[in-house]
Amino acid sequence: MDNFMELLLQPLRDFGITILQFVPNLLAMLIIFIAGFLFSRLIKLFFLRIFRIINFDSWCDRAGLTAIIRKGDIWSKPSDVFGGIIYWFLIILFLVIGLSALRLPTIDNLIAQFFLYIPRAFSALVILIAGYVFAGFISRAVLITAVNSGYHYAKILAEAVRLLLIVLILAMSLEQLQIAPGIVIAAFSIVFGGIILALAIAFGIGGIDAARRIINSGEPERPEQPKQPKQNDEKKNDKEREAEYL
């Protein structure tokens, strides 16, 4: 009978010991969450004040970042957008730190993978932003060059170059994030090749006149050849015969 009661009570004792060991970890996690939330709010307010002091919104307008944000259907001020990014980054960071306080092996493995993935996500974000700005710059340069060359479809050509660069940038970002790299490379090859082929056909059919003008404008003018004396003598003899006949 004693052995039977021991079999019933032992699991309860083990469960109680586990709960007593887990409660401090749980309290530590809650404290980290609360402290992280307050700290994130303070940091957000601090950066918003700094952004207002340095006129960050005006700088974004001049640099073209505001236009990029508007194209993403985000109508908040750039300072509020970047302040929100900083805030949520800190919230996620403190959430991960708080979960690590639970001392659970599964969560620890996920947290380790998360911290290893952060540099890839940051580099992909940098590639997207820098690549978008670079694509806009190249597109404007192509548009100005094509207009000065007299090409009638300059805007279409500039948009095609911009689309081509954006596809390249997206492929680079996805490859950096290691999201189905095989599929990304295959899809990029198909799309990139299709755009190049379409541009080649469009320019070959629609740009014949422009290409002829470009080629002709680059050819030097040929000097007129002097008339040969022999031909002049023949013409003179012909005129003399006509005069005698008359």
Side-chain angles (χ1 to χ4, degrees):
M1 188 67 180
D2 294 338
N3 293 332
F4 179 74
M5 293 298 296
E6 186 67 21
L7 290 174
L8 291 177
L9 295 176
Q10 187 61 37
L12 295 177
R13 293 195 193 98
D14 295 339
F15 180 74
I17 293 171
T18 303
I19 291 296
L20 292 176
Q21 293 176 350
F22 184 74
V23 167
N25 297 337
L26 182 62
L27 292 176
M29 182 192 71
L30 294 176
I31 292 172
I32 292 172
F33 281 172
I34 296 172
F37 174 75
L38 296 176
F39 179 77
S40 302
R41 292 285 298 178
L42 291 175
I43 293 297
K44 179 182 178 181
L45 294 175
F46 171 76
F47 273 98
L48 288 178
R49 182 175 292 273
I50 294 295
F51 290 155
R52 292 191 185 97
I53 292 174
I54 63 176
N55 292 325
F56 183 73
D57 293 333
S58 300
W59 181 83
C60 289
D61 292 339
R62 294 192 299 269
L65 292 177
T66 304
I68 296 174
I69 294 173
R70 296 292 181 266
K71 288 182 179 180
D73 200 18
I74 300 174
W75 300 98
S76 301
K77 295 181 179 179
S79 57
D80 295 334
V81 173
F82 283 94
I85 292 173
I86 295 171
Y87 171 75
W88 284 108
F89 176 78
L90 292 175
I91 288 291
I92 295 173
L93 181 62
F94 279 101
L95 178 64
V96 172
I97 295 173
L99 291 175
S100 65
L102 295 176
R103 305 290 182 182
L104 298 176
T106 304
I107 295 179
D108 290 340
N109 293 332
L110 292 175
I111 292 172
Q113 294 178 6
F114 173 77
F115 279 107
L116 291 175
Y117 199 72
I118 286 179
R120 290 185 174 274
F122 180 75
S123 61
L125 181 62
V126 171
I127 290 172
L128 279 176
I129 296 175
Y132 190 87
V133 175
F134 178 75
F137 174 77
I138 296 298
S139 177
R140 287 193 295 270
V142 171
L143 178 61
I144 293 171
T145 304
V147 169
N148 293 334
S149 300
Y151 190 62
H152 298 289
Y153 302 98
K155 187 174 181 180
I156 297 176
L157 180 61
E159 288 297 325
V161 172
R162 179 174 172 272
L163 177 61
L164 188 65
L165 291 175
I166 288 177
V167 170
L168 176 61
I169 291 162
L170 287 176
M172 292 172 62
S173 301
L174 292 176
E175 194 276 333
Q176 187 67 28
L177 293 173
Q178 293 294 309
I179 299 176
I183 297 176
V184 169
I185 293 174
F188 168 74
S189 301
I190 294 171
V191 174
F192 193 86
I195 293 175
I196 291 294
L197 180 61
L199 284 175
I201 295 174
F203 184 79
I205 295 176
I208 295 176
D209 296 334
R212 184 183 295 111
R213 288 196 300 270
I214 293 173
I215 294 171
N216 293 333
S217 63
E219 292 181 355
E221 295 182 357
R222 297 181 179 178
E224 295 183 357
Q225 296 180 356
K227 297 180 179 179
Q228 297 179 1
K230 186 176 180 180
Q231 293 180 351
N232 295 334
D233 294 340
E234 291 179 354
K235 290 182 179 180
K236 187 177 179 180
N237 294 331
D238 292 339
K239 290 181 179 180
E240 290 178 353
R241 292 193 189 95
E242 291 177 359
E244 292 176 355
Y245 179 75
L246 294 174

